[in-house]
Each structure stands twice: as structure tokens, then as C-alpha cells.
Amino acid sequence: KKAWLWVLCTPLLEVLRVAKGRSEVSGRKLLGRVFKGTLVTDRYAVYGRIAIKQQYCHAHLYRDWLKVEQRGGEDEAIGLQLRRLTRRLLRAHRRKRREGLTQEWLRKQLVPIQRLYAEWLVHGFEHGSAKTRELCSRLHASQGKLWTFVMDESVEPTNNRAERALRHAVLLRKNSYGNDSARGARFMERLLTVRGSLRRQGRRLLSFVAGSIAAVRNPAACPSLLPALAA
């Protein structure tokens, strides 16, 4: 039976969950009924019903603009320009992080990029093909979700962190052909959660697993994935 692997990442934690579907119900089981944070997503519609604050992934958008460009005609210029603007904004964000520059510096760098991006979205809506008009219209109507990372320094412009977190699980699934039972799925999602979270915190997986086994006899010594309780 088909299942989906959900992942939620923060700088210090990875939580993976195997679910029977991709519905809003599955999302809320992972995030809770009331989610007050900011989700960095690939624009899947369910996320918009779970979180008010979002950042659309510009890495996904870069690939979308490439597809627009490859349609030819007027779409070629639209896709090319928006892809170039996406590359510029990602380059500016990488430089800011690499060189330790301020958020104010990033905002100033992105002012002309944001203006041109909005202009080309309007151009795409007015002159593009039907698919391009639809994409540009949706993005123009929710432009705030394109630039959340500009206002909030803790938000990233891509969901690459989540994509990297899924890579090990996907390779494992290919090699093992998935799970044979719900119990096996629970075991794998928990082990992958432990592995990913400890890796982010620079802690050893073997020590954590050994401590968890020992905690069967001494529950008071059970280790925690939360960094504040790790000691």
C-alpha cells in the first residue's frame, strides 16, 4: 500500500513520519492543530491551510521558471528573466550567510530584484501562455510568501534542508523496498528522526540508542532528543 513520508526540519531537529496520505489531516498530525511558525514549502496547497505564515521555496520556483522558458515564444523571455532574478536572490542570500553580512544588507540587495520580479509576474500574466498566466497570477496574489525570508532572518528562501533530510530515507527505501507493516514504518520513522536530529546537533547515534535501551531498566536516565535536555 502506498504511503507518504513527511518531514519537518528545524536547525536542530528532524521529525519524519510515515502517513497513509498527503491530506491536511496528515499534516496536522505532524504539526499540531495550531501551528504558529513559518513553513518553508514547495507550494503544495495543504500547507496553506495549516500555516498562515509561509515562505515559498525559490529552488522549486527556479525549476518552474526553467519549464516556462522551455515552452518557447513569449514564455521563453518570461521564464528566462524570472529564473535569472531567482538566481540573483539566492546568490545574495548565500553571500550574506557566507560572509556574515547583515539582514539590512540583504534587504537593500533585494529591493531592485523584488521590483523586477513583480513586474515580470505582471508581464507573465498579461502575455504568457495559459499555464504561465495561471502560475504568474497565483504568485502575484501571494507575493508576501515569496519574500518572508527578507523580513525574518530565521527563515530560509528554500526548503533544501528538508530535501536533504529526505535523501537518506529515500535511498533506504529503495534498498529495502519499504516497510512490510505499520509497526515497521513506526520503527523506521522514529529511527530516522533520531538519526537526523542527532546529526544536526553533533551527537552520537550509538550512544543515544544504548542509553535508550538502558532506560528500559532505569526510565529516569532516558536520553532526550531536545538539546536543552540532552545533558
Side-chain angles (χ1 to χ4, degrees):
K1 296 181 179 179
K2 184 182 291 187
W4 281 262
L5 184 63
W6 291 72
V7 60
L8 175 65
C9 297
T10 72
L12 293 175
L13 292 171
E14 289 179 12
V15 180
L16 289 95
R17 183 175 184 274
V18 178
K20 293 180 179 179
R22 297 182 66 205
S23 67
E24 181 179 348
V25 173
S26 296
R28 291 194 182 279
K29 284 182 179 179
L30 178 64
L31 294 166
R33 292 188 60 82
V34 179
F35 181 76
K36 297 182 179 180
T38 300
L39 284 183
V40 185
T41 74
D42 59 3
R43 309 196 316 280
Y44 179 46
V46 163
Y47 301 130
R49 298 195 290 271
I50 297 174
I52 296 176
K53 293 185 289 185
Q54 280 185 269
Q55 167 64 56
Y56 287 160
C57 173
H58 282 284
H60 279 81
L61 278 167
Y62 184 90
R63 295 191 287 270
D64 289 339
W65 296 132
L66 179 59
K67 292 177 183 177
V68 170
E69 182 183 350
Q70 291 171 343
R71 290 176 191 147
E74 189 64 31
D75 282 8
E76 183 175 355
I78 296 166
L80 176 63
Q81 293 301 323
L82 285 163
R83 186 166 60 86
R84 284 177 174 173
L85 291 169
T86 301
R87 190 164 54 213
R88 285 174 58 187
L89 72 88
L90 291 176
R91 188 183 298 127
H93 185 266
R94 283 196 298 269
R95 182 183 172 189
K96 181 253 182 187
R97 185 170 52 188
R98 183 176 62 250
E99 299 180 14
L101 300 170
T102 65
Q103 189 70 7
E104 184 59 30
W105 175 88
L106 180 64
R107 292 193 185 104
K108 290 180 179 178
Q109 295 296 310
L110 294 181
V111 166
I113 296 176
Q114 289 176 277
R115 176 177 55 79
L116 288 170
Y117 204 105
E119 290 176 1
W120 275 102
L121 285 179
V122 172
H123 183 80
F125 174 70
E126 293 177 345
H127 302 286
S129 65
K131 287 184 177 180
T132 300
R133 289 200 304 271
E134 181 184 1
L135 176 59
C136 290
S137 176
R138 282 191 280 111
L139 291 174
H140 190 272
S142 54
Q143 282 193 75
K145 296 177 181 179
L146 293 172
W147 310 110
T148 306
F149 77 99
V150 182
M151 306 308 298
D152 187 344
E153 190 172 8
S154 67
V155 176
E156 296 185 358
T158 73
N159 70 347
N160 289 343
R161 183 183 292 170
E163 298 284 350
R164 290 192 296 268
L166 284 172
R167 188 171 298 137
H168 178 75
V170 170
L171 292 174
L172 186 63
R173 182 182 62 196
K174 286 182 177 179
N175 291 331
S176 66
Y177 303 103
N179 303 112
D180 290 331
S181 66
R183 185 178 180 183
R186 297 289 81 76
F187 174 78
M188 289 308 303
E189 70 184 13
R190 291 168 185 172
L191 194 61
L192 288 168
T193 294
V194 169
R195 174 193 176 274
S197 298
L198 295 180
R199 182 173 54 86
R200 289 188 178 277
Q201 298 169 30
R203 296 163 59 191
R204 296 185 61 206
L205 175 61
L206 182 59
S207 299
F208 185 94
V209 173
S212 299
I213 294 172
V216 173
R217 293 183 176 274
N218 182 17
C222 184
S224 174
L225 282 182
L226 300 179
L229 303 176

